[in-house]
């Protein structure tokens, strides 16, 4: 179980002497084990920042983070990773000189047979064994790097996996494969928690719980059935809205006026 208690994250205002801006504003949230949680909301609402606070990439100004009963507010990224928290960045890094297979093995913490590596890649829609020997450098497209990072998360298999806009830059076919993968993990691994930051209807439809974040605060949260109608759901689907960054997807996206 992950418990966020009165979490605040402030940054200095550029040019201001002692002024600060609140990015996360007194946020409290509990995520039970085995739940599939989608965090959605308008761009700039603090979703990625919240994920970075949970992973320890940013340190909160105040408040606390407790994971399975252990206070991890000041724990390092490595400690949190060891405890079973994983984070897939909105914009993943490239690793020049690092082959895809090696990256998957580092994530898994052990040598992996090529067959298993291929299975992880297939789950994110990368279906060529040739990827294993590719370097995770500029020769890969943004969507490929994104999917390789998601594959490393699958290889790592953390207790709580946080994915930041996994849909960004991914083609429709790979997106189908990816949503199936998320659904499969959720249905078969009830000891695993999935947290996905997303604007996509198809991902939101998989959620047990939806959290709507705006201006660093939880505007609404609850079971999917309760929150979905508030997100602009109509008989004909969701209303369109702007994604954070251009994507190859042409699926309907939700309005995040929750
Ligand atoms: N370290 C930081 N310094 C200054 N501003 C930041 C920092 N981190 C985030 N922000 C700002 O906080 C707001 C929320 O950002 P973010 O968490 O990326 O939103 P979202 O992921 O919901 O789109 C944005 O306005 C962003 O520019
Ligand atoms: Mg973001």
């Amino acid at each position: 179980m992950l418990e966020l208690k009165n979490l605040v994250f402030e940054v200095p205002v550029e040019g201001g002497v002692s002024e600060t801006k609140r990015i996360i504003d007194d946020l409290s949230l509990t995520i039970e084990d085995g739940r599939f949680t989608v965090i959605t909301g308008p761009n700039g609402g603090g979703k990625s920042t919240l994920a970075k606070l949970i992973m320890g990439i940013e340190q909160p100004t105040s408040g606390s983070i407790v994971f399975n009963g252990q206070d991890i507010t000041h724990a390092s990224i490595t400690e949190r990773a060891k405890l079973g928290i994983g984070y897939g960045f909105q914009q993943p890094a490239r690793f020049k000189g690092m082959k895809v297979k090696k990256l998957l093995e580092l994530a898994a913490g052990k040598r992996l047979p090529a067959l298993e590596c291929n299975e992880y890649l297939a789950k994110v829609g990368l279906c060529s064994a040739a990827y294993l020997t590719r370097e995770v450098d500029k020769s890969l497209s943004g969507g490929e790097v994104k999917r390789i990072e998601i594959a490393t998360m699958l290889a790592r298999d953390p207790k709580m996996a946080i994915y930041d806009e996994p849909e960004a830059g991914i083609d429709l076919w790979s997106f189908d494969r990816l949503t199936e993968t998320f659904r499969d993990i959720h249905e078969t691994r009830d000891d695993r928690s999935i947290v996905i930051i997303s604007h996509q209807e198809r991902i939101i439809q998989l959620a047990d719980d939806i959290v709507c974040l705006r201006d660093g605060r939880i505007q609404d949260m609850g079971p999917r059935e309760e929150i979905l109608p508030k997100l602009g759901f109509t008989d004909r689907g969701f209303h369109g809205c702007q994604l954070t960054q251009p994507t190859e997807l042409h699926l309907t996206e939700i309005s995040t006026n929750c």
Side-chain angles (χ1 to χ4, degrees):
M1 183 166 74
L2 178 75
E3 297 160 275
L4 310 177
K5 298 176 187 169
N6 305 103
L7 216 54
V8 172
F9 179 67
E10 291 175 341
V11 293
V13 172
E14 226 172 288
V17 184
S18 57
E19 269 181 277
T20 55
K21 180 184 171 200
R22 270 198 177 193
I23 310 294
I24 296 295
D25 189 6
D26 198 22
L27 185 149
S28 296
L29 169 68
T30 298
I31 297 178
E32 304 281 350
D33 290 345
R35 302 295 284 179
F36 191 133
T37 307
V38 168
I39 301 178
T40 192
N43 298 335
K47 301 180 297 296
S48 294
T49 306
L50 183 62
K52 288 176 190 166
L53 286 167
I54 296 169
M55 195 63 228
I57 297 161
E58 298 280 14
Q59 287 293 312
T61 310
S62 60
S64 66
I65 305 173
V66 176
F67 186 59
N68 291 337
Q70 185 172 338
D71 190 325
I72 58 161
T73 315
H74 304 292
S76 68
I77 299 171
T78 311
E79 284 170 291
R80 293 177 209 222
K82 279 187 186 151
L83 288 171
I85 305 175
Y87 174 51
F89 281 84
Q90 186 168 347
Q91 285 158 328
R94 291 166 198 265
F95 302 95
K96 199 169 180 304
M98 172 80 72
K99 297 229 163 55
V100 171
K101 183 166 189 286
K102 182 75 189 162
L103 196 62
L104 288 168
E105 289 178 333
L106 279 176
K110 59 181 182 192
R111 295 288 299 273
L112 295 174
L115 195 67
E116 192 174 336
C117 292
N118 286 334
E119 280 170 14
Y120 291 128
L121 293 179
K123 284 178 190 211
V124 297
L126 293 174
C127 290
S128 163
Y131 278 109
L132 289 187
T133 51
R134 295 275 302 271
E135 278 189 27
V136 191
D137 60 10
K138 284 186 180 154
S139 68
L140 293 169
S141 74
E144 285 170 330
V145 174
K146 184 88 183 171
R147 279 177 285 165
I148 286 164
E149 193 193 48
I150 296 169
T152 64
M153 284 274 277
L154 301 176
R156 184 177 305 146
D157 188 25
K159 282 186 196 146
M160 173 173 278
I162 306 168
Y163 296 94
D164 200 344
E165 298 196 22
E167 66 266 23
I170 293 184
D171 62 87
L172 204 54
W173 185 84
S174 303
F175 183 69
D176 271 350
R177 195 70 195 80
L178 199 57
T179 50
E180 277 313 306
T181 299
F182 290 141
R183 184 202 304 273
D184 185 53
I185 295 171
H186 187 44
E187 282 176 0
T188 57
R189 308 286 306 281
D190 53 9
D191 56 338
R192 292 299 186 249
S193 311
I194 303 174
V195 179
I196 304 189
I197 295 168
S198 180
H199 299 281
Q200 279 298 329
E201 172 196 348
R202 295 256 300 284
I203 290 181
I204 293 171
Q205 289 282 10
L206 295 174
D208 298 314
D209 305 303
I210 299 172
V211 176
C212 206
L213 205 63
R214 181 188 283 265
D215 298 331
R217 292 188 214 107
I218 293 177
Q219 190 163 25
D220 224 334
M221 69 172 164
R224 184 189 63 233
E225 312 78 61
E226 193 184 297
I227 305 298
L228 259 184
K230 298 183 189 174
L231 292 173
F233 191 67
T234 69
D235 305 347
R236 291 163 49 227
F238 290 94
H239 303 302
C241 77
Q242 295 294 311
L243 271 184
T244 313
Q245 43 188 197
T247 155
E248 293 156 32
L249 276 174
H250 298 289
L251 299 169
T252 44
E253 296 147 18
I254 60 155
S255 136
T256 42
N257 300 320
C258 53

